[in-house]
Amino acid sequence: MRRESQLLRVFVTRNLPDSALAPLRANAEVDVWEGENPPPYEVLKQRTAGCDGLLCLLTDRIDGELLAAAPQLRVVSQMAVGVDNIDLAACRLRNIPVGHTPGVLTETVADLAFALILASARRLVEADRFLRDGAWTTWSPMLLAGPDVHHATLGIIGMGRIGFETARRGAGFRMRIAYTARHVHTEAERELGAVRMDLPDLLATSDFASLHVPLTPETRYLMNQETLAQMKPTAILINTARGGVVDTDALVRALRAGTIAGAGLDVFEEEPLALGHPLMQMRNVTLLPHIGSASVATRTRMAVMAAENLLAGLRGAPLAHAVPAGG
Ligand code: GLV
């Protein structure tokens, strides 16, 4: 690649650790967007236009128009496992491979999903605020009491890598595990005693329903007025997947009406969540700013992996972690 590399150009849509940028700089001319916030779409399109490679984040819209403006582009590499911001069909039409970062973030995201389960059930954020507000006057029998996590039923919606690791954490808390999946997950059934169910049955039995599906046309609004109504009034919904898997307006209505007890959310239909959003006023929700994979080690590994995918694509080699055909 060396000789040709003088000519290769890549656009990187956010500043990344040196361990990811250095190998890119050794092999290509690297244009890095230095902003804290994503480049506006028109800037993204313009800076990608003369490039051979694009290293992007889930906050960048990669669509047919952008690809059309970049005739030399031969690889798109995303620093995330989810790729719902990328028009995969348009990339396929141009034979542009799309890289992503599965595997490295699995346990880190599962840790956060479980943190949300614990925080939501045991009202940690509410309790912290209560204390800081000076409202703590004494130990009191039912003060900030919530449901138990141990021995409760954890419903895993989507038993993929992250779903399985979340289930394992649940089993460590002696929870019963129910799951939905297209196929039987033999390991989860054997190791954790997990029971496969259809979605209505899972929702009717789960104390915590945790979403672990990618956002696709089939999973958009999987949790809607009808499915939310199938949950127990004492149940808590956890979302560390993608905001679009939940109809937010229906969720707000369910939380207000008390048809579910609470929610722990790391992802939203619109990110960042608007300050005036009704969820912001609710005490029975725990809200996080999309930090599922945000451990230093994992984010660094994701950046390096995205750089490796990009370099492979520039060489015309198969990407070590390509998004499989069909998403
Ligand atoms: C983060 O949300 C990811 O998809 O990696």
Side-chain angles (χ1 to χ4, degrees), residues 45 48-51 64-74 94 96:
K45 193 167 86 177
T48 307
C51 285
E65 183 182 325
L66 180 136
L67 297 181
Q72 282 161 236
L73 196 67
R74 49 172 121 155
R94 280 269 308 274
I96 295 177

Side-chain angles (χ1 to χ4, degrees), residues 110-197:
D111 284 349
L112 190 91
F114 212 77
L116 271 176
I117 291 171
L118 288 169
S120 307
R122 302 302 306 274
R123 303 169 63 179
L124 299 190
V125 176
E126 198 184 335
D128 177 275
R129 205 171 299 139
F130 176 88
L131 184 153
R132 289 174 200 262
D133 286 350
W136 186 24
T137 54
T138 183
W139 189 92
S140 178
M142 297 308 281
L143 177 66
L144 289 159
D148 273 322
V149 171
H150 68 84
H151 293 95
T153 298
L154 171 59
I156 299 286
I157 301 169
M159 188 63 100
R161 284 178 291 251
I162 299 172
F164 181 43
E165 284 302 332
T166 306
R168 274 184 157 156
R169 283 151 180 72
F173 276 66
R174 303 168 76 184
M175 299 177 89
R176 285 181 295 273
I177 311 295
Y179 74 100
T180 66
R182 282 205 209 118
H183 307 288
V184 171
H185 197 297
T186 316
E187 215 179 335
E189 299 204 352
R190 197 178 320 123
E191 183 183 319
L192 313 175
V195 179
R196 184 162 165 245
M197 297 182 185

Side-chain angles (χ1 to χ4, degrees), residues 185-217:
H185 197 297
T186 316
E187 215 179 335
E189 299 204 352
R190 197 178 320 123
E191 183 183 319
L192 313 175
V195 179
R196 184 162 165 245
M197 297 182 185
D198 59 19
L199 186 62
D201 284 344
L202 177 139
L203 294 174
T205 47
S206 295
D207 299 303
F208 301 88
S210 190
L211 291 162
H212 299 286
V213 289
L215 177 60
T216 65

Side-chain angles (χ1 to χ4, degrees), residues 58 79-83 101 105 240-242 267 290 293 299 302:
L58 54 85
M79 183 188 150
V81 64
V83 287
T101 61
L105 48 67
T240 53
R242 281 291 181 271
V267 288
H290 202 150
S293 59
R299 286 283 167 88
M302 287 165 69

